[in-house]
Amino acid sequence: MGDVLTSPAVLILLGPPGAGKGTQARMLEERFGLVQLSTGDLLRAAVAEGTPAGLAAKSVMESGGLVSDEIVLAILKDRMAMPDVKAGVILDGFPRTAGQAAALDQLLDAAGQKVSAAISLEVDDEAMIDRVAGRFTCANCGEGYHDTHKTTAKAGTCDKCGGSEFKRRADDNAETARERLRAYHADTAPLIAHYDKLGVLQTVDAMGSIEAIASALRTIVNRATG
Ligand code: AMP
């Protein structure tokens, strides 16, 4: 059973690669009927489709750098214009720069909306490299696994859907993860102060179990939107 939101929520998940943004966003999506909006997923789809934006983004993503604000904002605005986001969104991996945060503020302002909560997932950097370099997902249902920390119960079979195909992201290797971590600290971590100033910042210790973090996030979402 999902909790009921009394107003459309705009939630932002901040945190370095491997902090659990995607996992937690999917859990919140199920629980609250919100839409997970991951600019990384949208960009990967654009790369797979070979659109002009995808072609421009591909090599930047492979290097672990940040795709230009112009491309990311165009992709995000298209997605935000779709009707299913009306119930509310969880922004996963966006905004990542001061320019993107300012553009989001403007976009929401024009729609008479505000950020409900910006949640910073606080983690240990070195543990993130290990998490990112070992992770893979079920190609069918998207369930996340890790080579050592969360293997499938039966080798080669997804615990959740029974699927037998798995995939790894091209940028989930130690070298690229280090560059993504560097980009996070240089360009994204400063946004924590921006949302603190707006009075919507929440921080969560994200080194614990997935369920403990999910529970902390549910409390925050209920409080921010109730
Ligand atoms: P993610 O799936 O969030 O880890 O993103 C994967 C890659 O996509 C990042 O390393 C960036 O190259 C790119 N990317 C995703 N979201 C953004 C964003 N908001 N701004 C710039 N680049 C992004």
Side-chain angles (χ1 to χ4, degrees):
M1 254 278 282
D3 293 27
V4 177
L5 299 181
T6 53
S7 59
V10 179
L11 302 168
I12 296 173
L13 291 183
L14 292 167
K21 299 187 296 295
T23 302
Q24 295 297 335
R26 273 190 296 281
M27 292 172 84
L28 288 173
E29 188 173 51
E30 258 175 45
R31 181 79 178 207
F32 292 96
L34 300 164
V35 172
Q36 174 194 12
L37 219 155
S38 153
T39 43
D41 284 349
L42 294 172
L43 287 166
R44 278 185 287 280
V47 170
E49 281 167 31
T51 65
L55 291 176
K58 189 170 188 281
S59 59
V60 181
M61 292 172 76
E62 280 168 357
S63 72
L66 291 182
V67 175
S68 73
D69 284 359
E70 195 190 350
I71 289 180
V72 172
L73 286 166
I75 280 186
L76 180 96
K77 281 181 186 165
D78 279 356
R79 184 66 186 87
M80 294 274 278
M82 293 183 184
D84 64 326
V85 304
K86 289 276 184 290
V89 290
I90 310 154
L91 298 173
D92 157 12
F94 178 91
R96 260 186 163 86
T97 65
Q100 291 177 17
L104 176 66
D105 289 345
Q106 269 181 14
L107 198 70
L108 293 176
D109 210 31
Q113 281 182 289
K114 278 197 180 96
V115 172
S116 319
I119 307 165
S120 172
L121 302 179
E122 308 271 308
V123 289
D124 171 61
D125 272 12
E126 276 311 307
M128 291 310 102
I129 304 285
D130 172 59
R131 272 198 203 174
V132 167
R135 71 185 178 181
F136 60 97
T137 54
C138 170
N140 179 47
C141 73
E143 181 71 358
Y145 295 97
H146 188 279
D147 291 331
T148 47
H149 309 311
K150 190 191 167 197
T151 53
T152 54
K154 185 171 161 229
T157 306
C158 175
D159 296 354
K160 200 169 175 189
C161 76
S164 58
E165 301 232 348
F166 297 89
K167 55 183 185 181
R168 275 175 206 270
R169 280 170 46 174
D171 59 349
D172 276 351
N173 57 74
E175 191 191 336
T176 310
R178 278 195 199 284
E179 179 53 27
R180 287 157 63 199
L181 205 51
R182 194 204 58 73
Y184 174 77
H185 285 293
D187 297 305
T188 310
L191 302 186
I192 293 172
H194 173 73
Y195 291 111
D196 195 15
K197 228 189 247 168
L198 292 182
V200 292
L201 179 71
Q202 302 280 345
T203 56
V204 168
D205 174 358
M207 290 303 291
S209 72
I210 290 176
E211 192 34 58
I213 300 160
S215 162
L217 293 188
R218 284 196 296 271
T219 304
I220 290 172
V221 175
N222 273 318
R223 236 188 259 142
T225 58

